[in-house]
Amino acid sequence: SEFDRIIAINLRGVYLCMKHELRQLLAQGDGGTIVNLASTNAFRPQPNQAAYTASKHGVLGLTRQAAMDYAARGIRINAICPGTIETPMVTDMIAKGELSVPDAVANQPIGRLGRSDEIAAAVLWLASPASSLVTGVALPVDGGYTAR
């Protein structure tokens, strides 16, 4: 049941959002941009996170497939893959003892956790004309975590 819950939220949720976003973008007829959120787990799985990792792999598959299917219609579709970001979810993981700040920081070559505004800046760039040739990309925003 936990696997089904995680897949329903992380993968089916993205699929359903894209379904309606694409319907609207196609109706408008002037292209557009979709930015999905995946995770660095899609590149580097973590112990005991099979459902989460599978869901994020699925998000990348949906992103890449849709990017191929809709590029000719002027719709760009990409994904952001955040590393460990200071969010309520991470705060909760720390409180439960599932994650320690020193371990999380040690895994990020930049030497600190990410901030939500840094993820927002990457999303804004992907949604802007400055990234007009970018589609089907999974962009890690992770302080160098996936570069290791």
Side-chain angles (χ1 to χ4, degrees):
S1 67
E2 182 67 6
F3 181 88
D4 291 339
R5 184 184 75 78
I6 291 170
I7 294 297
I9 293 167
N10 292 352
L11 182 55
R12 186 171 179 79
V14 170
Y15 169 80
L16 292 171
C17 285
M18 285 178 53
K19 172 184 170 182
H20 295 285
E21 292 161 350
L22 287 164
R23 183 179 295 149
Q24 180 61 39
L25 291 172
L26 291 169
Q28 289 172 197
D30 59 353
T33 304
I34 296 172
V35 180
N36 294 321
L37 286 177
S39 168
T40 54
N41 274 51
F43 304 117
R44 295 186 63 189
Q46 298 299 309
N48 304 312
Q49 295 184 15
Y52 182 79
T53 297
S55 72
K56 297 307 181 173
H57 272 274
V59 169
L60 293 190
L62 283 173
T63 298
R64 290 179 175 136
Q65 184 63 54
M68 294 288 295
D69 292 344
Y70 292 95
R73 296 181 182 155
I75 300 172
R76 296 183 306 107
I77 305 168
N78 295 290
I80 297 287
C81 299
T84 306
I85 307 300
E86 294 176 8
T87 63
M89 182 179 84
V90 169
T91 301
D92 186 52
M93 290 172 68
I94 292 166
K96 290 178 180 176
E98 298 169 2
L99 177 70
S100 79
V101 174
D103 288 343
V105 168
N107 281 327
Q108 304 216 136
I110 205 162
R112 64 176 177 81
L113 299 182
R115 299 184 318 269
S116 58
D117 65 302
E118 293 169 314
I119 302 304
V123 171
L124 288 172
W125 178 74
L126 283 174
S128 78
S131 67
S132 62
L133 193 59
V134 180
T135 194
V137 166
L139 178 65
V141 182
D142 65 0
Y145 174 75
T146 54
R148 305 175 112 197

